[in-house]
Amino acid sequence: IDWPGRWGRVIGFVGPKRILYFGLVTTGQKAKTVIDSPLWGRKLIPSVKIADLETNAFQTVIEELHPYTSISFGRLKSMAATGADD
């Protein structure tokens, strides 16, 4: 299985045919980089995208995400228990 801009790992599934994932720029876009170490040089800055595995359609959700930024996906237990997100 492949999807547009595939890079890194899948963050989570959004339904049976859609995934949230780390991706790189796709055709026609310029890759962005950051220098965060003089020893390792430039690193690519990924984005977060959502893709439909059947149609290969995708949408960028977060355009630039520094490589060391952590993100999570899903509902918080405290919100689910209180019904605060309903």
Side-chain angles (χ1 to χ4, degrees), residues 70-84:
S70 62
I71 64 170
S72 62
F73 174 73
R75 293 175 59 175
L76 298 173
K77 286 183 181 181
S78 61
M79 291 181 80
T82 62

Side-chain angles (χ1 to χ4, degrees), residues 4-86:
R6 182 178 177 179
W7 181 81
R9 60 184 171 82
V10 171
I11 299 167
F13 289 88
V14 186
K17 303 286 182 185
R18 292 189 178 139
I19 57 169
L20 188 67
Y21 63 100
F22 290 106
L24 293 178
V25 296
T26 50
T27 305
Q29 300 292 318
K30 184 177 178 182
K32 296 182 182 181
T33 60
V34 64
I35 297 176
D36 61 351
S37 168
L39 300 174
W40 294 102
R42 292 194 166 278
K43 288 190 167 112
L44 290 170
I45 298 177
S47 58
V48 175
K49 301 175 186 253
I50 189 168
D52 186 306
L53 297 175
E54 282 187 344
T55 65
N56 225 23
F58 74 96
Q59 180 69 46
T60 301
V61 180
I62 302 172
E63 195 168 310
E64 296 178 15
L65 190 70
H66 190 278
Y68 296 120
T69 303
S70 62
I71 64 170
S72 62
F73 174 73
R75 293 175 59 175
L76 298 173
K77 286 183 181 181
S78 61
M79 291 181 80
T82 62
D85 61 342
D86 294 335

